[in-house]
Amino acid sequence: MFNSKGKLAKKEIESLFNEIQINLENNYKDLAIGARKKAEIRLGELEKSGELKDKDYKKLKSKLDDYTKRMEGYHH
């Protein structure tokens, strides 16, 4: 299938973003921090491996940056 790796990669990252969102909504700060870190690492891995197009990477990175900004005051 054409670009199925890219679709799977985007779904994986979106799933991690969903985990961050759910934890934020439930005020589980430590879990949200952990999920954001997982998403950051995985996004980097997918970008390095070429599974994400540059356009998709930038869009997802921007969304991750938004979560990071929302969580600025959170500490372990």
Side-chain angles (χ1 to χ4, degrees):
M1 288 216 277
F2 180 72
N3 199 21
S4 62
K5 282 186 179 179
K7 285 183 181 181
L8 291 174
K10 285 195 290 188
K11 283 186 179 184
E12 181 181 354
I13 295 298
E14 289 295 337
S15 174
L16 291 170
F17 287 166
N18 186 47
E19 184 179 343
I20 296 169
Q21 185 63 39
I22 288 169
N23 288 323
L24 288 173
E25 288 172 1
N26 289 312
N27 206 25
Y28 300 148
K29 293 179 181 179
D30 289 342
L31 293 175
I33 290 167
R36 192 203 61 77
K37 187 66 177 167
K38 267 196 308 191
E40 180 179 38
I41 291 168
R42 189 62 182 139
L43 186 60
E45 291 172 351
L46 292 170
E47 193 255 343
K48 285 179 187 171
S49 71
E51 291 182 56
L52 284 175
K53 293 180 185 178
D54 191 50
K55 179 182 95 169
D56 293 331
Y57 171 76
K58 287 179 181 177
K59 183 178 176 183
L60 293 168
K61 177 70 169 120
S62 175
K63 192 170 182 179
L64 181 63
D65 290 344
D66 289 342
Y67 280 120
T68 301
K69 194 172 204 169
R70 283 177 57 190
M71 297 168 60
E72 275 179 356
Y74 293 7
H75 300 334
H76 272 284

